[in-house]
Amino acid sequence: MFRDGKDQDEDVMPEYKGRTVLVRDAQEGSVTLQILDVRREDQGSYRCMIQVGNLSKEDTVILQVAAPSVGSLSPSAVALAVILPVLVLLIIACLCLIWKQRRSKEKLLYEHVTEVDNLLSEHAKEKGVLNVSSVLMIPFSHFSGWRRARLHFVAVTLDPETAHPKLILSDDQRCVRLGDRRQPVPDNPQRFDFVVSILGSEYFTTGCHYWEVYVGDKTKWILGVCSESVSRKGKVTASPANGHWLLRQSRGNEYEALTSPQTSFRLKEPPRCVGIFLDYEAGVISFYNVTDKSHIFTFTHSFSGPLRPFFEPCLHDGGKNTAPLVICSELHKSEESIVPKPEGKGHANGDVSLKVNSSLLPPKGPEPKDIILSLPSDLGPALQGLKVPSF
């Protein structure tokens, strides 16, 4: 109400208290109602009545509120809207930093384990034989790494689009062997046409991944990881510089890491099952002998782009290497449901039979909780200054 030249706010509705102003324009003969801090509930019909002496006039105006005014936000709401995104970004940055530090520590641990192993190996060569403490320390260090790697087990399958035409796959795409003749398959850009290789279907661009491949009594095989961009046509030189991080059994108990130049070595016990572990962020690819739970070899590299599992059953080696490579669908505990049936019974693409080799079963009895090892006295100077990170 506007009377006697000013607003009369005694009877104003509570929801409009302090939010309205009546402005009179004597020249125009008009009165304007101003509503401050407009809200959605303000919309509706407003009736205006003007009375001068015995004369009166009234009219109705409909107010529609399309959206709440920016000015309706309280200062605390504005502050919250600004601070909340900043807090979220800070939390994400802290999590990324913690994650990178963890990866860095894991990579450092790998490097220290490898360094200790090299020192012990050099010591063994000088002495001609490892003493008891050295023999204990190597399996223990590597066994702990193998157990940690197995926590990241993934089910890997084969990609038939990349298979060399002579390779024969099982129906479940977990078993591959070399056939006698080329198969009529499309010559697509992804397919190997010279080396008898095949890639896994999985692409890895982050995180940790571990899988196991049963090699049995094969005399030759190549396993590992390669870049998605590696050449598939013609003769390929496998090396880390060309996007390959591979381990090869060349003959008998002779093995090679396909570094540049190649790194040759022998193993105490030939693996019947090989574990491959990839830590993308830490830049680590490690190979493990699942048969005796020992570490074989580790590549370190700064990866970029997708990586894929690599498999090559190799040539027949005069009939001694006709067995397939079999990807384990779960962590390998025995040869059950892994060893292929003899040829002539079953399909050419690799049926399986059941066979358990008790020597591959894990030893019974509780694992030792604490191991105290003493290094040989003459090895002390070689290990001086070597600090293994604690976690």
Side-chain angles (χ1 to χ4, degrees):
M1 181 177 291
F2 185 88
R3 187 172 58 191
D4 299 332
K6 60 179 181 180
D7 286 350
Q8 307 293 324
D9 58 358
E10 291 84 1
D11 298 325
V12 174
M13 298 170 62
E15 57 266 33
Y16 287 95
K17 203 79 172 178
R19 296 176 50 226
T20 62
V21 178
L22 283 168
V23 180
R24 181 183 180 188
D25 188 334
Q27 292 182 354
E28 294 290 337
S30 64
V31 178
T32 302
L33 170 65
Q34 293 183 354
I35 302 177
L36 309 177
D37 191 14
V38 180
R39 307 165 187 170
R40 281 194 179 275
E41 53 266 28
D42 292 340
Q43 65 185 3
S45 298
Y46 289 79
R47 187 167 63 92
C48 175
M49 185 178 68
I50 299 176
Q51 185 174 356
V52 179
N54 295 327
L55 300 176
S56 64
K57 187 177 181 180
E58 63 180 72
D59 202 354
T60 301
V61 175
I62 297 177
L63 173 65
Q64 294 182 344
V65 181
S69 171
V70 176
S72 64
L73 293 176
S74 65
S76 59
V78 174
L80 183 62
V82 173
I83 294 174
L84 190 59
V86 175
L87 288 176
V88 171
L89 290 175
L90 286 175
I91 292 172
I92 293 174
C94 290
L95 290 176
C96 290
L97 181 61
I98 293 172
W99 180 67
K100 287 184 178 180
Q101 287 178 343
R102 180 183 173 187
R103 293 298 183 196
S104 177
K105 287 183 178 180
E106 288 184 356
K107 184 175 181 179
L108 185 61
L109 179 59
Y110 279 116
E111 292 173 354
H112 278 289
V113 167
T114 304
E115 188 173 352
V116 171
D117 182 30
N118 292 337
L119 289 171
L120 290 172
S121 298
E122 292 174 4
H123 174 74
K125 291 177 182 177
E126 292 176 1
K127 297 299 180 183
V129 62
L130 287 174
N131 61 19
V132 176
S133 61
S134 299
V135 172
L136 284 175
M137 185 172 181
I138 292 174
F140 179 73
S141 302
H142 293 156
F143 179 55
S144 62
W146 174 73
R147 291 185 64 182
R148 184 173 60 254
R150 290 187 117 204
L151 296 175
H152 303 281
F153 180 82
V154 292
V156 171
T157 56
L158 299 167
D159 181 3
E161 297 298 318
T162 65
H164 184 277
K166 276 193 173 183
L167 293 180
I168 300 175
L169 277 63
S170 61
D171 290 336
D172 63 0
Q173 296 180 355
R174 294 186 185 277
C175 178
V176 58
R177 67 179 181 87
L178 180 64
D180 296 325
R181 59 181 64 88
R182 298 174 72 93
Q183 301 176 84
V185 293
D187 184 19
N188 56 57
Q190 296 80 28
R191 190 180 305 280
F192 290 97
D193 65 356
F194 186 84
V195 292
V196 288
S197 307
I198 183 172
L199 301 183
S201 299
E202 290 68 27
Y203 295 74
F204 301 128
T205 57
T206 185
C208 297
H209 311 276
Y210 173 85
W211 60 96
E212 294 179 345
V213 182
Y214 181 78
V215 298
D217 295 320
K218 287 180 69 64
T219 58
K220 295 177 182 291
W221 47 260
I222 302 177
L223 295 171
V225 178
C226 74
S227 172
E228 160 63 15
S229 60
V230 295
S231 174
R232 316 288 174 84
K233 305 302 180 182
K235 189 174 182 180
V236 178
T237 301
S239 69
N242 292 334
H244 303 82
W245 298 271
L246 307 177
L247 184 72
R248 172 171 66 191
Q249 180 183 14
S250 54
R251 63 180 69 84
N253 192 30
E254 296 181 11
Y255 300 85
E256 295 172 337
L258 300 187
T259 53
S260 184
Q262 297 171 357
T263 304
S264 301
F265 52 88
R266 290 175 174 268
L267 298 177
K268 181 179 179 182
E269 182 174 355
R272 296 178 63 80
C273 183
V274 177
I276 300 103
F277 173 65
L278 164 66
D279 186 335
Y280 194 99
E281 285 76 18
V284 168
I285 297 175
S286 292
F287 296 83
Y288 294 94
N289 183 345
V290 181
T291 305
D292 64 3
K293 307 176 181 64
S294 65
H295 171 265
I296 300 176
F297 190 84
T298 292
F299 289 93
T300 57
H301 190 84
S302 296
F303 302 124
S304 61
L307 302 180
R308 300 180 68 176
F310 181 97
F311 308 86
E312 186 173 329
C314 295
L315 302 180
H316 286 159
D317 193 19
K320 296 181 291 184
N321 194 45
T322 58
L325 292 173
V326 184
I327 304 173
C328 302
S329 58
E330 59 183 8
L331 290 176
H332 183 58
K333 296 179 181 178
S334 68
E335 295 182 24
E336 182 175 354
S337 70
I338 288 182
V339 181
K341 286 182 179 179
E343 293 187 8
K345 295 182 179 180
H347 301 289
N349 58 6
D351 287 350
V352 296
S353 61
L354 301 180
K355 179 181 178 183
V356 179
N357 185 341
S358 58
S359 65
L360 293 180
L361 294 174
K364 296 181 178 180
E367 294 183 359
K369 294 183 179 178
D370 298 300
I371 296 182
I372 301 176
L373 302 173
S374 60
L375 294 173
S377 58
D378 55 349
L379 187 59
L383 293 176
Q384 247 180 357
L386 179 62
K387 296 180 181 179
V388 179
S390 58
F391 297 91

